[in-house]
């Protein structure tokens, strides 16, 4: 894939949508994985081990496929970049994501994770100076966060827990910083190489920490192995493609399709986790507001007529 191909709007939209479908499927997959590997809600180190295995597999997939494509072994380079991305995109993000997901529903998790679009805008705009903030983007962000607030309220009472929805917001913030670093580093290093090795080393670190502190996975036949391999594929494919899209397009332009993340996540969680008891008016209103907010943020400015 060359820069001209990846910067074409139809291609960018299709690839971004493909990433959103994969990320949406991760919500039910993680919860199903907790059941298959017999990980209870209090077993933090088994969750860390589970996540570490997934991302080590993802990194291995990316490195092998890229080495085959390049017809040579793709060795790691730019160690500082790899370490930084491993911390933000893998270790911090998914420690809090896996820990938060076990304490809330897949449907709510998908909607809250939609906040990552708005956090990315502010982090890349204020922190990395990669985006220009304007009234349109601020209004869109406010509408999107209103959706996050609604899904976490029950009447006038907050329906929010620090170790559930709070952890998911921390994960979204870490992901926002990772997006800024990817955009910054892509000018000097291969996005695919960085993606593969940050997943591999980050996953290995998480797996070792989880194992050393007593985390264990109980494999229950072929289904558990297939699920773990598919989850590795989710990360390997989605983040590598997303990184390439960020390299050759504006951050705001790429995130145009990211409003589908909460939709796919909520829909697939509803189908595979049978969370019908969680579907009420707040879910639909929140999904609508998050999607509208992201669309407003990414609307192109219309040139003024004289």
């Amino acid at each position: 894939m060359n820069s001209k191909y990846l910067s074409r709007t139809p291609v960018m939209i299709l690839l971004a949508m493909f990433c959103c479908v994969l990320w949406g499927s991760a919500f039910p997959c993680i919860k199903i994985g907790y059941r298959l590997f017999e990980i209870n809600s209090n077993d933090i180190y088994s969750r860390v081990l589970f996540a570490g295995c997934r991302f080590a597999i993802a990194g291995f997939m990316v490195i092998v496929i890229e080495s085959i494509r390049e017809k040579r072994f793709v060795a790691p380079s730019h160690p500082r970049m790899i370490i930084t991305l491993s911390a933000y995109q893998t270790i911090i993000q998914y420690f809090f994501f896996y820990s938060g997901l076990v304490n809330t529903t897949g449907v709510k998790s998908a909607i809250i994770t939609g906040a990552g679009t708005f956090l990315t805008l502010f982090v890349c705009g204020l922190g990395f100076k990669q985006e220009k903030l304007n009234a349109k983007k601020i209004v869109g962000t406010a509408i999107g966060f209103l959706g996050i607030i609604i899904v976490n309220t029950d009447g006038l009472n907050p329906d929010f827990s620090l170790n559930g929805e709070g952890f998911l917001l921390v994960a979204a913030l870490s992901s926002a910083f990772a997006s800024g670093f990817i955009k910054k580093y892509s000018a000097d290093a291969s996005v695919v190489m960085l993606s593969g090795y940050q997943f591999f080393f980050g996953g290995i670190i998480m797996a070792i920490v989880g194992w050393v502190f007593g985390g264990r996975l109980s494999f229950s036949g072929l289904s558990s192995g297939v699920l773990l391999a598919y989850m590795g594929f989710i990360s390997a494919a989605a983040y590598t493609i997303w990184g390439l899209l960020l390299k050759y397009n504006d951050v705001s332009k790429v995130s145009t399709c990211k409003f589908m993340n909460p939709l796919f996540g909520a829909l697939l969680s509803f189908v595979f986790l049978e969370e019908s008891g969680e579907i009420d008016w707040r879910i639909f209103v929140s999904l609508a507001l998050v999607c509208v907010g992201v669309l407003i943020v990414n609307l192109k400015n219309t040139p003024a007529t004289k």
Side-chain angles (χ1 to χ4, degrees):
M1 294 185 182
N2 55 42
S3 59
K4 292 183 179 180
Y5 183 75
L6 289 171
S7 60
R8 293 176 182 172
T9 299
V11 174
M12 182 275 294
I13 291 175
L14 287 175
L15 290 176
M17 291 288 287
F18 175 65
C19 293
C20 291
V21 172
L22 289 177
W23 280 324
S25 70
F27 294 96
C29 281
I30 292 171
K31 282 188 167 287
I32 292 171
Y34 287 155
R35 294 201 296 264
L36 289 178
F37 291 103
E38 300 179 7
I39 302 173
N40 62 55
S41 59
N42 297 319
D43 192 351
I44 183 173
Y45 293 112
S46 290
R47 293 200 300 270
V48 172
L49 175 60
F50 180 37
C53 290
R54 170 193 174 184
F55 295 118
I57 291 171
F60 180 76
M61 287 180 176
V62 174
I63 294 166
V64 169
I65 293 173
E66 183 66 0
S67 295
I68 294 173
R69 192 184 71 83
E70 291 283 340
K71 298 181 180 179
R72 63 178 179 83
F73 174 68
V74 176
S77 60
H78 301 85
R80 181 180 62 83
M81 296 182 184
I82 292 174
I83 292 172
T84 300
L85 286 176
S86 291
Y88 283 96
Q89 186 159 311
T90 300
I91 298 173
I92 298 175
Q93 179 183 179
Y94 285 101
F95 171 82
F96 284 100
F97 183 80
Y98 273 63
S99 298
L101 187 59
V102 77
N103 294 310
T104 189
T105 66
V107 173
K108 285 186 65 176
S109 299
I111 298 172
I112 294 171
T113 303
T117 302
F118 310 111
L119 292 173
T120 299
L121 173 66
F122 278 95
V123 168
C124 291
L126 299 178
F128 291 89
K129 308 299 182 183
Q130 296 167 343
E131 291 286 333
K132 291 184 178 180
L133 297 180
N134 53 35
K136 172 174 63 70
K137 293 180 179 180
I138 294 173
V139 169
T141 299
I143 292 174
F145 272 113
L146 178 60
I148 304 301
I149 293 171
I150 288 176
V151 81
N152 287 293
T153 57
D154 182 11
L156 296 177
N157 300 316
D159 185 17
F160 182 93
S161 65
L162 179 61
N163 63 348
E165 292 81 4
F167 277 12
L168 290 173
L169 285 173
V170 174
L173 179 61
S174 183
S175 175
F177 275 96
S179 294
F181 283 118
I182 290 172
K183 181 71 174 179
K184 177 181 178 181
Y185 295 158
S186 65
D188 301 310
S190 164
V191 171
V192 180
M193 181 278 296
L194 290 175
S195 178
Y197 280 103
Q198 69 88 11
F199 272 136
F200 184 75
F201 289 122
I204 291 295
I205 291 172
M206 293 183 76
I208 291 174
V209 170
W211 178 268
V212 167
F213 286 94
R216 297 294 183 268
L217 300 181
S218 177
F219 282 84
S220 56
L222 181 62
S223 58
S224 56
V226 171
L227 177 72
L228 192 58
Y230 172 70
M231 292 179 68
F233 169 76
I234 290 174
S235 298
Y239 277 105
T240 299
I241 293 172
W242 199 261
L244 290 170
L245 294 178
L246 287 173
K247 178 179 176 67
Y248 296 115
N249 299 275
D250 292 336
V251 175
S252 290
K253 184 179 178 181
V254 175
S255 62
T256 299
C257 292
K258 208 169 185 179
F259 74 93
M260 294 302 293
N261 268 1
L263 286 178
F264 284 126
L267 176 63
L268 293 172
S269 294
F270 173 70
V271 172
F272 291 103
L273 300 178
E274 299 180 353
E275 293 180 346
S276 57
E278 296 297 325
I279 302 297
D280 60 17
W281 69 270
R282 292 180 303 155
I283 297 295
F284 293 108
V285 172
S286 298
L287 279 171
L289 289 173
V290 169
C291 294
V292 169
V294 177
L295 285 174
I296 290 175
V297 164
N298 292 287
L299 284 175
K300 290 184 177 181
N301 293 320
T302 303
T305 58
K306 296 182 179 179

